[in-house]
DNA sequence: TGTCGTACTACATCTGTCGTAGTAATTGCA
DNA sequence: TGCAATTACTACGACAGATGTAGTACGACA
């Protein structure tokens, strides 16, 4: 299991990755992250939804309702914006640097 | 440059790494981190010193004064404890998992 | 004598994460 | 049909780690 402080600052990136292929909503994204990480990382609900708020405020995603399911379950779907894509790319680049740097401080003992 | 949220949770690990070889003190550790990371990560002073406090509170390091320089500059030296070494090893293992997981969400576009 | 580098400490603030709790609809199954 | 589990959220308060700002104090160098 991964501690939250480790992945902190990358939750947004994981969410954006999930939106690259297609629009999605909270629960689905949550499950997909869980599956893709092979159960090694489970994002808390509150973390997920507060990330949505932040991402939308920053213009990286935008929310909408699907018309074909307008009654009943009331799912909020999210779509990544061009700014979100740019941000995702930056975070990916940053991640490469981070890996290089942190690996200099890792020693097998 | 690396954002703080990325490396958050690993500041302690970087510091412990610096203490593996020999005892050291704030300023020196700070400079060594800077150098080893090739200027890609510069730990803020306040971050560094609050990490020392936390690490000592958790029993991962312990502080002392060198007798041969007991007057004058008053440097606080730190030494890693066996518990600190264990903690360091755990963080290294966790880091491997974190890399694996995050890399699943990284795509070159 | 004054500035720069060293070596800290104090304090208040911010951000992201988390715990707890609660709402409400839909689905599974007995 | 009835009740639990799952889905799909929202609200609120707390906390930890990082940061900004500021200030102290000593030594070296010019």
């Amino acid at each position: 299991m991964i501690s939250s402080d480790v992945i902190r600052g990358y939750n947004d990136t994981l969410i954006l990755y999930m939106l690259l292929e297609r629009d999605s909503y909270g629960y689905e994204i949550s499950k997909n992250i869980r599956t893709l990480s092979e159960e090694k990382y489970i994002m808390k609900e509150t973390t997920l939804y507060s990330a949505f708020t932040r991402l939308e405020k920053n213009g990286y995603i935008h929310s909408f309702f699907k018309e074909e399911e307008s009654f009943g379950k009331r799912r909020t779907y999210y779509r990544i914006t061009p700014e979100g894509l740019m941000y995702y790319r930056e975070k990916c680049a940053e991640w490469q640097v981070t890996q290089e740097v942190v690996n200099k401080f890792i020693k097998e003992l």
Side-chain angles (χ1 to χ4, degrees), chain A residues 86-102:
Chain A
M86 270 180 57
Y87 178 70
Y88 173 77
R89 283 184 183 142
E90 284 164 23
K91 292 301 276 183
C92 285
E94 189 193 66
W95 172 247
Q96 301 303 335
V97 178
T98 303
Q99 275 189 96
E100 277 172 46
V101 169
V102 175

Side-chain angles (χ1 to χ4, degrees), chain A residues 7-69:
Chain A
I7 214 146
R8 191 191 178 104
Y10 273 87
N11 279 324
D12 290 8
T13 311
L14 306 200
I15 293 167
L16 290 176
Y17 172 84
M18 286 305 174
L19 295 172
L20 290 178
E21 296 288 310
R22 56 176 161 61
D23 303 341
S24 188
Y25 57 93
Y27 210 78
E28 194 178 52
I29 289 173
S30 164
K31 279 202 304 185
N32 288 343
I33 287 174
R34 191 183 174 129
T35 307
L36 185 52
S37 75
E38 293 159 1
E39 310 281 319
K40 283 171 194 146
Y41 182 55
I42 294 157
M43 199 181 290
K44 301 286 181 301
E45 272 183 280
T46 39
T47 302
L48 178 71
Y49 289 107
S50 78
F52 282 144
T53 310
R54 181 173 52 251
L55 284 165
E56 187 159 32
K57 211 183 68 192
N58 293 335
Y60 298 148
I61 58 176
H62 94 272
S63 61
F64 62 97
F65 295 98
K66 278 204 173 169
E67 303 202 2
E68 59 267 37
E69 50 180 33

